[in-house]
Amino acid sequence: MPTYKLTYFDARAKAEPARYMFELAGLEYEDTRVTRDEWKAMKATTGLGQLPVLEVDGIELPQSGAIERYIGRKHGFYPSDAWECAQIDVVTETVNDFQSFISKVFRAENDEAKAEVIKSFLAEESAKRFSRLEKLLTKNKEGKGWFVGDKISLADIRVFSMLNDNLPPLTGVEVGCLDLKDHPHLAAFMDRFKTEEKISKWIKKRPVTKF
Ligand SMILES: N[C@@H](CCC(=O)N[C@@H](CS)C(=O)NCC(=O)O)C(=O)O
């Protein structure tokens, strides 16, 4: 088994899907969290000057998507069949569509502009985006299982991470408290994922962070 060292800031954000995979697969990994000052000192030494970075036996792999698919392929969350991968990609790309909202929140010039971005997301965009996810979920086993196939895949991990970990602090609610009452299958999926033993254990023991 290779040695894994995941380096990111002290945040869930772009590193949490990789952490969920390590936890679900029961793999040992170093979960390194750097401060902004430490990052300033090390930025130039990383290949792309960005985090997260996964070191596999000391060799660096940047880009969260590449990291997720690499761990996914190696440990059973991203299959080798091209069509099955494409089904997972449809879900993860739908999750990536939330990124435009996230970028707007972080780029807002002041609190007023940020509040406006959030208000417009909640009023106009969020329901449409959650419905897309719910539609994808219900295509498989009437929405009573996982997004693709019979077991947890990268698709489930990315959806859970976005809806449980990433969107709540950006929309002013506690982690895990996004309002999904109009999307019952999605809400039930979130509970199903959260109560998986290894996931609930990790959520209880992981560092509490804002993002
Ligand atoms: N596409 C990259 C984006 C990485 C990225 O934007 N990382 C941010 C943190 S989320 C970063 O490294 N910021 C510090 C910097 O750019 O100096 C990925 O998904 O890994």
Side-chain angles (χ1 to χ4, degrees):
M1 194 58 67
T3 61
Y4 292 124
K5 177 179 173 181
L6 182 67
T7 304
Y8 194 53
F9 300 103
D10 190 18
R12 297 175 303 278
K14 285 183 179 291
E16 204 64 13
R19 296 187 187 116
Y20 284 137
M21 280 188 275
F22 284 137
E23 296 295 331
L24 281 166
L27 295 164
E28 278 197 23
Y29 71 108
E30 211 179 305
D31 184 17
T32 304
R33 295 161 184 252
V34 297
T35 63
R36 287 280 159 187
D37 284 344
E38 285 166 338
W39 173 238
K40 266 188 215 151
M42 71 181 275
K43 183 175 166 85
T45 69
T46 61
L48 297 183
Q50 286 181 317
L51 294 177
V53 163
L54 176 69
E55 283 165 61
V56 182
D57 287 336
I59 299 170
E60 191 185 281
L61 179 68
Q63 289 290 6
S64 58
I67 293 170
E68 287 158 10
R69 288 189 292 275
Y70 170 78
I71 305 169
R73 274 199 188 98
K74 295 247 337 164
H75 299 290
F77 302 101
Y78 195 66
S80 50
D81 178 79
W83 185 251
E84 278 178 47
C85 283
Q87 304 316 301
I88 292 175
D89 291 345
V90 170
V91 178
T92 60
E93 290 301 323
T94 306
V95 172
N96 289 345
D97 288 345
F98 285 101
Q99 197 54 48
S100 59
F101 160 67
I102 296 175
S103 302
K104 278 190 214 158
V105 172
F106 281 111
R107 286 189 192 136
E109 280 180 3
N110 51 43
D111 286 352
E112 215 174 31
K114 191 184 282 186
E116 198 44 52
V117 168
I118 295 169
K119 194 172 147 198
S120 132
F121 172 74
L122 292 175
E124 294 155 29
E125 260 184 75
S126 61
K128 188 172 66 188
R129 294 186 187 281
F130 297 153
S131 295
R132 284 189 191 136
L133 288 174
E134 180 139 294
K135 198 169 177 182
L136 291 172
L137 177 63
T138 50
K139 272 174 67 180
N140 190 34
K141 321 253 183 238
E142 298 170 342
K144 295 188 177 112
W146 306 115
F147 270 85
V148 181
D150 293 329
K151 61 188 182 84
I152 292 180
S153 73
L154 181 56
D156 306 295
I157 292 164
R158 287 292 317 283
V159 171
F160 182 80
S161 190
M162 178 57 74
L163 269 49
N164 189 78
D165 303 326
N166 299 357
L167 290 181
L170 299 176
T171 53
V173 296
E174 293 289 311
V175 169
C177 294
L178 204 63
D179 180 1
L180 292 171
K181 66 176 175 318
D182 293 336
H183 308 276
H185 287 98
L186 201 49
F189 157 82
M190 295 295 286
D191 282 343
R192 203 154 47 242
F193 191 97
K194 193 188 288 186
T195 50
E196 279 287 309
E197 195 183 342
K198 287 177 176 161
I199 294 296
S200 64
K201 252 191 189 161
W202 170 241
I203 289 177
K204 271 186 211 124
K205 80 168 189 201
R206 72 184 173 186
V208 176
T209 58
K210 185 168 178 198
F211 294 111

